[in-house]
Amino acid sequence: MSAPTLDRPTDEAALQQRFDATIAADRRIEPRDWMPDGYRKTLVRQIAQHAHSEIIGMQPEGDWLLAAPSLRRKAILLAKVQDEAGHGMYLYSAAETLGADRADLTDKLIEQKQKYSSIFNYPTLTYADVGVIGWLVDGAAICNQVPLCRSSYGPYARAMIRICKEESFHQRQGYELLMTMMGGTEEQRAMVQDAVDRWWWPSLMMFGPPDDDSPNSAQSMAWGIKRHSNDELRQRYVDMSVPQAQFLGVTLPDPDLHWDEETGHWRFGPIDWAEFKQVVSGNGPANAERIRRRRAARDDNAWVTEAATAYARKHAGAVTEGAA
Ligand code: BYC
């Protein structure tokens, strides 16, 4: 009996056609599938930037692990920071399905050839910052990432499902912490307001530059990697956050913030894009410190990586010999 003929196009045009049809039908592209170089590069860029954000994002909150005010708060914060490490691992794994190498991506982060989210270049000055990061930063992350669960690249979309579930828990723990502080002393309420004043505008910047200054959006949306534009998601986030701020009893630091009856949206004032550019190009308040610590973690722990790699190699050799 002859082998069945595989329906596998070999020429580039047919491969491109099949890729386009998969995207048009809103099905997933998987690692084994052919994909255009630009699609692969865009995914590696975005997924690496996302993974780096999770790992660098452990630092600002990690700074409060030893100073958390109770055992309960310490256990919650420890669990959250560990979750962020897990998110980084899922995302680096997703990038590896595209042919990227995790060690190489880490080197590119440290050499500042790849970015991570601007938000993590601000310091956590008081314990209220931990609550505000949970509420506002994880809130922004959820807003941005829920649509990524439908991203056209299968491994990225699947990683996002679990990440989003955990981010929801992170947001709730932040909000609960802030509700507790708002029910406390005058000084605690002032700490919360001060943290909100410092984190509100940077959290709006997390969504990226405005649509008319976002070079990657149009192509990423055509490929189904991104599902909404930066400005659409930013507006969704503001609409979601204003009632939460009102319930919490804090004031968002924007004198132009107002309800627009006609559009049914909260309108907000101008964002300081000059500050965003400064932070993204390495000149934010904590950029140098974040990179210094990531570099030290890589270098100080190189022996662990070497030992684990040698062990894995030896184990793989033993398995191959056994099979022979
Ligand atoms: N910060 O054309 P655009 C978390 C860059 S971690 C820095 O709009 P794109 C958490 C952009 O990369 C969550 N850079 O780009 C962790 C591009 O530069 P390159 C992190 C930014 O990709 C621990 C250039 O600006 N979330 O939740 O279409 C504790 C032009 O922008 C930023 C993600 O990473 C920024 N804010 O859209 C707590 C989400 N914005 O790469 C919480 C996944 C833009 O060409 N990423 N740039 O050199 C995305 O959804 C998209 O990449 C973005 C940008 C919406 C961020």
Side-chain angles (χ1 to χ4, degrees):
M1 206 169 80
S2 62
T5 319
L6 291 175
D7 176 24
R8 231 180 233 165
T10 47
D11 63 291
E12 185 109 346
L15 289 165
Q16 177 76 50
Q17 216 170 26
R18 175 171 284 193
F19 172 85
D20 292 343
T22 305
I23 298 287
D26 206 11
R27 291 198 307 268
R28 300 286 163 268
I29 303 291
E30 295 298 336
R32 62 175 181 271
D33 295 334
W34 180 91
M35 60 189 86
D37 281 348
Y39 180 81
R40 189 184 296 276
K41 270 192 201 138
T42 297
L43 278 167
V44 171
R45 179 186 63 79
Q46 177 165 328
I47 298 173
Q49 191 222 264
H50 196 161
H52 298 329
S53 305
E54 301 282 357
I55 299 299
I56 294 283
M58 294 167 73
Q59 291 187 31
E61 289 175 285
D63 283 343
W64 282 93
L65 282 173
L66 295 178
S70 67
L71 185 58
R72 176 171 172 264
R73 292 292 173 198
K74 195 188 290 263
I76 293 172
L77 187 55
L78 197 55
K80 180 183 191 290
V81 173
Q82 282 178 334
D83 282 352
E84 310 299 357
H87 298 174
M89 296 310 112
Y90 311 151
L91 289 163
Y92 284 126
S93 299
E96 284 185 324
T97 66
L98 292 156
D101 173 68
R102 191 164 124 194
D104 176 56
L105 297 179
T106 299
D107 290 345
K108 288 195 169 109
L109 162 69
I110 291 168
E111 290 155 18
Q112 296 173 67
K113 291 182 183 151
Q114 285 179 346
K115 297 187 170 76
Y116 59 91
S117 182
S118 50
I119 193 77
F120 301 116
N121 292 307
Y122 294 86
T124 38
L125 302 182
T126 73
Y127 188 67
D129 291 30
V130 169
V132 170
I133 289 183
W135 171 39
L136 290 180
V137 176
D138 286 274
I142 292 168
C143 220
N144 166 271
Q145 290 172 192
V146 166
L148 293 175
C149 298
R150 293 184 295 110
S151 182
S152 59
Y153 187 57
Y156 190 32
R158 289 190 287 275
M160 291 318 305
I161 293 172
R162 178 149 177 194
I163 291 176
C164 284
K165 283 187 183 156
E166 293 178 350
E167 300 289 21
S168 295
F169 159 73
H170 294 171
Q171 194 201 19
R172 278 153 197 246
Q173 70 79 34
Y175 200 72
E176 187 269 343
L177 191 163
L178 297 177
M179 286 294 286
T180 307
M181 288 185 81
M182 291 302 283
T185 63
E186 211 37 67
E187 205 183 347
Q188 285 174 309
R189 278 189 284 279
M191 270 169 74
V192 174
Q193 182 61 57
D194 170 64
V196 170
D197 290 347
R198 285 182 286 108
W199 289 92
W200 173 247
W201 290 108
S203 73
L204 295 190
M205 295 174 195
M206 281 178 77
F207 295 89
D211 292 352
D212 53 14
D213 197 21
S214 164
N216 300 298
S217 278
Q219 182 60 75
S220 284
M221 285 170 72
W223 275 329
I225 296 174
K226 280 167 80 162
R227 295 287 177 173
H228 304 280
S229 79
N230 299 354
D231 285 333
E232 271 169 35
L233 291 175
R234 194 173 359 256
Q235 182 63 60
R236 192 179 283 187
Y237 173 69
V238 173
D239 290 342
M240 179 182 103
S241 302
V242 174
Q244 293 173 356
Q246 289 169 337
F247 188 76
L248 191 60
V250 293
T251 308
L252 295 172
D254 178 357
D256 296 328
L257 190 67
H258 66 277
W259 175 248
D260 182 350
E261 197 69 57
E262 211 170 291
T263 59
H265 290 294
W266 285 94
R267 291 291 169 219
F268 51 96
I271 295 174
D272 185 351
W273 291 115
E275 175 181 322
F276 173 76
K277 283 187 182 141
Q278 278 295 312
V279 173
V280 171
S281 51
N283 303 316
N287 294 61
E289 174 64 1
R290 300 289 179 243
I291 294 294
R292 187 194 65 72
R293 283 164 73 179
R294 185 66 194 87
R295 183 191 298 277
R298 180 196 61 182
D299 296 348
D300 296 349
N301 298 317
W303 66 273
V304 179
T305 311
E306 275 164 36
T309 309
Y311 178 79
R313 211 174 281 132
K314 191 169 151 194
H315 188 67
V319 170
T320 317
E321 268 169 40

